[in-house]
Amino acid sequence: GIGRNTVYERRKVDPAFARGWEKAAEIAVEALRDAAIVRAREGTERELWRRGKRVGTIREYDNRLLQFLLRALQPEVYGRRGSS
């Protein structure tokens, strides 16, 4: 029930609030990372439709997501060639 500007201002002047903000951001990033790993590993299910009727599903895998995660999580192994 408070405005965006209010929380940004409070973060600037209240160290405890700023630490809580950072911890909440870390938790959110961890949850997103975990969801991306699950999606890369298990794929996503897409419905198949023919003539207006659902006839099944197919599991699709996002290879770009997989490559991104491997490079991000183990850059020493999966980093781009030629980069240091």
Side-chain angles (χ1 to χ4, degrees):
I2 59 175
R4 180 181 299 174
N5 290 341
T6 302
V7 295
Y8 282 103
E9 286 301 317
R10 183 164 177 198
R11 186 175 69 164
K12 289 179 188 176
V13 298
D14 183 342
F17 186 83
R19 283 190 301 275
W21 178 293
E22 290 303 317
K23 183 61 179 172
E26 288 173 18
I27 291 169
V29 168
E30 288 172 7
L32 290 171
R33 182 200 61 217
D34 293 347
I37 290 169
V38 168
R39 183 182 292 179
R41 186 179 59 232
E42 297 178 8
T44 54
E45 200 169 89
R46 182 173 62 92
E47 294 181 338
L48 296 175
W49 293 77
R50 298 288 183 265
R51 297 183 180 162
K53 293 187 179 184
R54 183 177 178 269
V55 295
T57 61
I58 187 170
R59 184 156 303 275
E60 296 181 323
Y61 296 89
D62 186 339
N63 289 329
R64 288 185 354 194
L65 174 60
L66 177 60
Q67 290 171 345
F68 173 82
L69 287 170
L70 289 172
R71 285 185 185 137
L73 297 173
Q74 288 193 295
E76 68 282 359
V77 176
Y78 299 104
R80 294 182 186 266
R81 295 187 191 276
S83 61
S84 301

